[in-house]
């Protein structure tokens, strides 16, 4: 039986999700199938019921199709572990990649077919291309919702202005506003989410926040603190990027407050994102059960972090 995890409602929707969401970007297709099955089964056993999938181009050179194999594999893994999709919130992304030859309904239907699913819990609209203005996007999403193949919709990496416009357009189209926004948010990057315009746009929509990149691409895990990568090499290329270098230095500095709290830099960094008042669930990537455990450990840690702890973390982040 799955462990009980805290849940939060996504915006004004009726969907409640586990406070940790498991993504599958660049993970499952790079793992041995047996390991991928064990990882997904472990996440479900630990109570994670919010799963994020997406179509993207194959990067392994081994996939039987050039794009969307990530969706095929995700569906196969769900069936292999005996998961009940109806008991989960499964999300996928609308990329608008083949617009206008493929409209939103066509893109969603193709994704569902590859996944082997009848319905999505949540459909994210990714950043809009120039040829798809917000009113057109909302009209297309309204058509998708009318099919009953998607329960609710949200946005990924949208600007505050586009999110605000989408909320108004949704009212005109007589559909609910986006119930969530998946945005990069971490100790290494707070600007996008904490911009006053974005906060106002989220408030107007009644939308929840789904922090992504909570570990800044692994930099805040502290595992690169000594400047070595997983193969024992150097991170010289990454250190040439000032933003990445700052994140890596911050990850190293997190070891001290993490040790004082009896935890790890990764768990502490994830806990920080959970404490944003609009956060419903923090999106993580994982390739081992230990990484899932580290994320779940952030839930009780977030409950015991004090105002002083948070001030110390913000001051530490501001120094890089």
């Amino acid at each position: 039986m799955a462990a009980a995890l805290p849940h939060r409602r996504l915006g004004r929707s009726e969907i409640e999700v586990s406070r940790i969401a498991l993504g599958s970007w660049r993970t499952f297709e790079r793992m041995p199938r047996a390991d991928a099955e064990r990882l997904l089964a472990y996440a479900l056993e630990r109570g994670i019921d919010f799963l994020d999938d997406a179509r993207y181009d194959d990067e392994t050179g081994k996939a039987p199709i050039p794009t969307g194999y990530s969706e095929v594999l995700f569906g196969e893994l769900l069936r292999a572990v005996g998961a009940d999709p109806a008991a989960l919130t499964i999300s996928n992304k609308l990329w608008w990649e083949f617009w206008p030859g493929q409209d939103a309904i066509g893109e969603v239907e193709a994704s569902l077919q590859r996944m082997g699913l009848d319905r999505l819990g949540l459909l994210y609209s990714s950043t809009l291309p120039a040829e798809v203005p917000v009113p057109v996007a909302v009209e297309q999403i309204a058509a998708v919702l009318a099919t009953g193949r998607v329960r609710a919709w949200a946005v990924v990496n949208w600007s505050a202005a586009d999110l605000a416009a989408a909320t108004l357009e949704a009212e005109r189209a007589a559909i609910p506003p986006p119930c969530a926004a998946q945005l990069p948010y971490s100790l290494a990057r707070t600007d996008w989410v904490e911009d006053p315009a974005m906060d106002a746009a989220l408030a107007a929509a009644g939308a929840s926040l789904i922090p992504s990149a909570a570990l800044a691409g692994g930099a805040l895990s502290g595992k690169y603190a000594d400047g070595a990568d997983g193969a024992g090499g150097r991170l010289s290329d990454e250190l040439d990027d000032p933003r990445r270098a700052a994140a890596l230095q911050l990850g190293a500095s997190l070891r001290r407050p993490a040790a004082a709290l009896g935890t790890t830099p990764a768990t502490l960094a994830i806990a920080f994102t959970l404490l944003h008042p609009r956060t419903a669930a923090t999106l993580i990537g994982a390739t081992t059960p230990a990484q899932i455990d580290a994320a779940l450990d952030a839930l009780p840690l977030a409950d015991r972090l004090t105002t002083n702890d948070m001030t110390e973390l913000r001051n530490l982040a501001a120094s890089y």
Side-chain angles (χ1 to χ4, degrees):
M1 181 178 295
L5 287 183
H7 281 61
R8 287 274 178 91
R9 180 168 294 187
L10 289 178
R12 297 171 182 167
S13 77
E14 297 180 352
I15 300 173
E16 293 192 356
V17 297
S18 57
R19 299 215 65 207
I20 296 296
L22 179 65
S24 55
W25 187 266
R26 294 176 171 175
T27 54
F28 290 139
E29 76 275 18
R30 299 184 178 197
M31 302 169 63
R33 178 64 67 99
D35 289 349
E37 290 179 12
R38 280 192 289 268
L39 182 71
L40 180 57
Y42 187 76
L44 297 174
E45 289 168 6
R46 292 299 315 271
I48 294 175
D49 58 23
F50 189 11
L51 304 178
D52 189 33
D53 192 39
R55 169 179 57 84
Y56 53 88
D57 294 343
D58 172 59
E59 297 173 326
T60 67
K62 300 177 181 178
I65 54 177
T67 188
Y69 181 63
S70 53
E71 295 172 320
V72 174
L73 178 56
F74 179 82
E76 290 176 350
L77 293 174
L78 279 178
R79 291 183 286 277
V81 302
D84 177 11
L88 306 171
T89 298
I90 298 172
S91 62
N92 206 326
K93 294 180 175 64
L94 186 63
W95 295 111
W96 311 97
E97 186 177 8
F98 304 116
W99 176 270
Q102 184 183 56
D103 63 8
I105 290 178
E107 186 173 347
V108 171
E109 291 290 343
S111 287
L112 286 170
Q113 182 176 11
R114 285 187 292 271
M115 299 170 82
L117 298 177
D118 295 324
R119 197 181 190 203
L120 289 174
L122 186 67
L123 177 66
Y124 285 110
S125 171
S126 190
T127 308
L128 299 177
E131 60 270 25
V132 184
V134 171
V136 171
V138 172
E139 180 183 353
Q140 286 285 306
I141 289 167
V144 172
L145 292 174
T147 68
R149 302 278 259 174
V150 171
R151 288 185 67 191
W153 73 289
V155 300
V156 174
N157 296 344
W158 278 34
S159 68
D162 280 353
L163 176 56
T167 299
L168 295 175
E169 290 296 332
E171 184 176 2
R172 295 190 185 100
I175 65 170
C179 68
Q182 185 185 120
L183 301 170
Y185 184 62
S186 70
L187 273 166
R189 183 173 189 184
T190 60
D191 58 324
W192 198 331
V193 167
E194 295 184 1
D195 176 68
M198 178 58 75
D199 190 64
L202 290 168
S208 297
L209 171 66
I210 309 295
S212 62
L215 296 182
L220 300 185
S221 68
K223 63 183 179 180
Y224 302 123
D226 298 320
D229 64 22
R234 304 298 297 178
L235 293 171
S236 57
D237 291 343
E238 296 193 38
L239 292 174
D240 287 339
D241 178 346
R243 192 163 197 160
R244 180 66 173 171
L248 288 165
Q249 292 167 354
L250 175 56
S253 295
L254 284 177
R255 290 183 298 182
R256 180 186 56 77
L261 290 162
T263 189
T264 66
T267 296
L268 182 56
I270 293 170
F272 172 83
T273 68
L274 288 167
L275 283 170
H276 189 286
R278 299 196 190 281
T279 296
T282 292
L283 177 64
I284 66 159
T287 56
T288 66
Q291 291 172 336
I292 290 175
D293 288 340
L296 295 178
D297 286 345
L299 293 165
L301 176 61
D303 288 339
R304 64 186 177 91
L305 287 179
T306 66
T307 300
N308 287 341
D309 291 330
M310 292 294 285
T311 298
E312 180 182 356
L313 287 175
R314 285 188 176 275
N315 288 341
L316 184 63
S319 66
Y320 292 101

